[in-house]
Every structure is written in structure tokens, then in C-alpha cells.
Amino acid sequence: QKEVEQNSGPLSVPEGAIASLNCTYSDRVSQSFFWYRQYSGKSPELIMSIYSNGDKEDGRFTAQLNKASQYVSLLIRDSQPSDSATYLCAVNDAGNNRKLIWGLGTSLAVNP
Amino acid sequence: DADVTQTPRNRITKTGKRIMLECSQTKGHDRMYWYRQDPGLGLRLIYYSFDVKDINKGEISDGYSVSRQAQAKFSLSLESAIPNQTALYFCATSDLGRYEQYFGPGTRLTVT
């Protein structure tokens, strides 16, 4: 059973701090990794994609990938109350390249 | 205008009724997906389609059926709704050769 695991949280950080969200995956041959943000009652929104080991930065967001350790993380710098949401990690299913394997999400609360 | 639209946005129906949820997209993507989301259970794939002649069951297809009427339209039907089908339903699309998926706004379905 292929899995993507995330700490459900809630992760609570003060405004302006760095929020660190982690995700581990079981399928060693997965090649594509995604972070989605989902506000309560709304649809998931793609915020980061990463395909190679190392860091990828986009504004206040940095995705980090370590394929040897099978984990991917998302750092949010200068966290804002508007970042309060659930963050979903998704990984391509290498055995069926038409599907993503989804984590259950980590709830983030940024406190003013 | 939104790239992926879903109708209706909210629906309350009674046990045993047939109901159809519709999804349309203007992104020009070939792949379309139906998910349901329940608290604590994350996103679960119901059906997915790569073109009008390609329909595939996901992990929880029992009690559901789909129709891909055109590249841009993918409908989900509940033949005889039951209360445990109460959930948030999302349609998503992805481009050929890409894994990232883009979601519609969702349909909140309540079966009483």
C-alpha cells in the first residue's frame, strides 16, 4: 500500500515565524511532489511543485526534497494569519502515472 | 471566469434519490478526476478519465457512476444516494504528461 504521511497537527506558530511542514512517502520511485493549501470548506490550491533533490523557493515558500530519505517539506517564512489552512502533500503514483497519492494534511494555525 | 466549475455548489437530497454532479473545464486538459473528501479521511479518488473513451475506477467507486460527455465535461452520478455519501465532492483536471491537478470549487452534498 503506497502511502503519504503527514503530521495532522495542528501546528501553531506566531505571526512572522517560520512554519515547517513535513511529509514522508513510501514509494521510492515517485518523481513528482506537490504541496496544496486548503482553506476550510474550500478546494485544494496548488502552491508548490518539486521534482529534484534540494530546495525550490517561491516567494515566502520553500519546498525541500530528499529522495534518499523519502521526505519532502514545506517552509513558510514570515508566516501570516492568512496562511492558516490545511496543507496537503501529494506524490505521483509511479505504478499508475495518472494518479496522485495524497496525505491527510497538516493543519497550520498562525497566531497574530 | 473559473477554469474548473462544478454545479451545483450545494445540494441536499433524500436517501434513494438519483443525483448528478457536473464538472466543466476551460483549461483544455485531457485528464479529469472526481474525489470525495470527508473529515479525517482526506481526498479519496472515485473515478478518473483520460479522454471520452477512457473511464477508470478509483479506490471508492461503489455506488457511483460517471460520464465523460466531452473533453471538457465530466459528470458524477449517485444512482441511489445514501447518508454515508454525505461529503464534499471535488472535480480536478490535469494536463497530459503532467501530474499536478487543478481543482474545482467543490460541491457540498448532504443526503438525509
Side-chain angles (χ1 to χ4, degrees), chain A residues 31-32 34 36 38 40-46 49 51 88 92-93 96-100 102-104, chain B residues 31 33 35 37 40-43 45 48 50 54 56 88 90 98-106 108:
Chain A
Q31 296 292 322
S32 302
F34 307 98
Y36 285 77
Q38 185 177 23
S40 180
K42 304 296 185 182
S43 58
E45 174 192 9
L46 179 66
S49 306
Y51 307 96
L88 304 175
N92 76 289
D93 182 343
N96 181 335
N97 64 6
R98 300 182 285 184
K99 298 195 300 182
L100 294 177
W102 294 88
L104 296 183
Chain B
R31 304 177 183 185
Y33 306 80
Y35 290 94
Q37 188 175 41
L41 296 179
L43 285 167
L45 184 62
Y48 59 104
F50 268 25
D54 177 76
N56 303 277
L88 195 51
F90 292 110
R98 310 281 302 179
Y99 293 114
E100 56 267 43
Q101 296 177 13
Y102 298 90
F103 286 78
R108 184 169 296 280

Side-chain angles (χ1 to χ4, degrees), chain A residues 3-11 20-26 34-38 47 70-74 85-91 101-108, chain B residues 37 40 42-43:
Chain A
E3 293 182 332
V4 172
E5 295 191 353
Q6 299 180 250
N7 188 322
S8 62
L11 174 65
S20 178
L21 305 162
N22 299 312
C23 169
T24 60
Y25 59 94
S26 63
F34 307 98
W35 284 100
Y36 285 77
R37 178 177 61 201
Q38 185 177 23
I47 55 172
Q70 295 177 239
Y71 85 78
V72 57
S73 62
L74 179 70
T86 295
Y87 290 80
L88 304 175
C89 175
V91 175
I101 306 168
W102 294 88
L104 296 183
T106 297
S107 175
L108 172 66
Chain B
Q37 188 175 41
L43 285 167

Side-chain angles (χ1 to χ4, degrees), chain B residues 59-71:
Chain B
E59 56 187 296
I60 55 160
S61 60
D62 287 349
Y64 301 95
S65 62
V66 291
S67 173
R68 185 82 183 265
Q69 300 96 321
Q71 186 205 33

